[in-house]
Amino acid sequence: MSKPAKKIIKEIKVDLSKCNGCRACEKACAAFHAIPKYSNFNPARSRIKVVIDERNDQWVPIRASGYTAAECSGRNHYVIEGKEYSECAFCPASCPSRDWFKEPDSGLPLKCDMCEDVPPLEEPMCVQICARDCLTYIEREVEVVEQKEVKRGEMEMGIASLIKKYGAEAVRKAVNRATKR
């Protein structure tokens, strides 16, 4: 029996008591992901959004998670102390029902990449720029069961679904932009 493989899990912890809503994390992320890098500060390119939780009077940084092809089935709205809140107000997903976490030029979904780059950054840009230490980068090692290699057909299926949703030209442009870095 083989030993379990080790995997590094990268996380960003958020201390809401320290966030003052300055949005420096959004600006740093947007600038880092601009093409070419640092050429503009389009907040739509940011993989982190700072929203206000009006009920608790707190700022909440939300990082983009994965794309979901379906809209949520539970679109409930709540009225608390005279203020109306949507169920998806703090959701990190890129989905068809809102414009958050979508690449502004192509509409392709964005996901936090922990600022993976060549050479790799020591910490994601949002963590580096946070003057109040609201965001903390953590790496931890976990044991994982080895998974089989990705089958050749799975990549083609993923590309085909992106083309079906966004069109071949939008996917081609996004790939070209991503490979110019």
Side-chain angles (χ1 to χ4, degrees):
M1 186 174 218
S2 63
K3 287 184 177 180
K6 303 267 185 183
K7 179 180 179 180
I8 301 293
I9 303 294
K10 300 175 180 183
E11 299 175 336
I12 296 177
K13 286 193 174 187
V14 179
D15 184 346
L16 295 180
S17 68
K18 294 180 179 179
C19 184
N20 67 355
C22 72
R23 291 193 160 93
C25 56
E26 284 184 18
K27 294 171 191 162
C29 182
F32 183 82
H33 290 95
I35 300 169
K37 275 188 184 149
Y38 308 110
S39 63
N40 67 57
F41 294 95
N42 182 350
R45 290 198 194 284
S46 180
R47 277 86 167 138
I48 187 167
K49 302 272 184 225
V50 180
V51 297
I52 186 157
D53 174 0
E54 293 176 4
R55 180 174 175 219
N56 296 313
D57 195 28
Q58 280 186 317
W59 293 97
V60 182
I62 299 173
R63 287 183 309 112
S65 68
Y67 171 74
T68 179
E71 293 186 39
C72 298
S73 58
R75 282 301 210 5
N76 299 320
H77 289 268
Y78 302 94
V79 177
I80 303 168
E81 297 176 11
K83 295 179 183 172
E84 188 172 318
Y85 298 90
S86 166
E87 199 170 27
C88 62
F90 304 110
C91 177
S94 174
C95 75
S97 65
R98 66 177 184 189
D99 291 331
W100 280 22
F101 303 128
K102 292 186 180 158
E103 215 283 329
D105 298 328
S106 66
L108 293 172
L110 298 174
K111 182 178 179 182
C112 176
D113 58 3
M114 296 286 189
C115 294
E116 292 291 331
D117 201 19
V118 178
L121 298 178
E122 206 170 293
E123 292 182 324
M125 289 301 297
C126 59
V127 174
Q128 291 181 39
I129 201 73
C130 185
R132 296 180 54 102
D133 294 325
C134 166
L135 305 173
T136 308
Y137 178 69
I138 296 168
E139 287 185 359
R140 59 186 174 88
E141 192 174 78
V142 295
E143 291 183 357
V144 293
V145 177
E146 288 188 32
Q147 296 180 0
K148 60 182 177 183
E149 280 189 41
V150 175
K151 295 178 186 170
R152 182 175 163 93
E154 291 177 5
M155 182 180 294
E156 286 82 1
M157 290 181 348
I159 292 171
S161 67
L162 286 172
I163 290 171
K164 181 180 176 184
K165 177 146 182 79
Y166 299 104
E169 186 64 16
V171 172
R172 185 188 61 72
K173 286 180 181 176
V175 169
N176 284 341
R177 276 193 310 277
T179 56
K180 287 181 184 176
R181 291 186 182 168

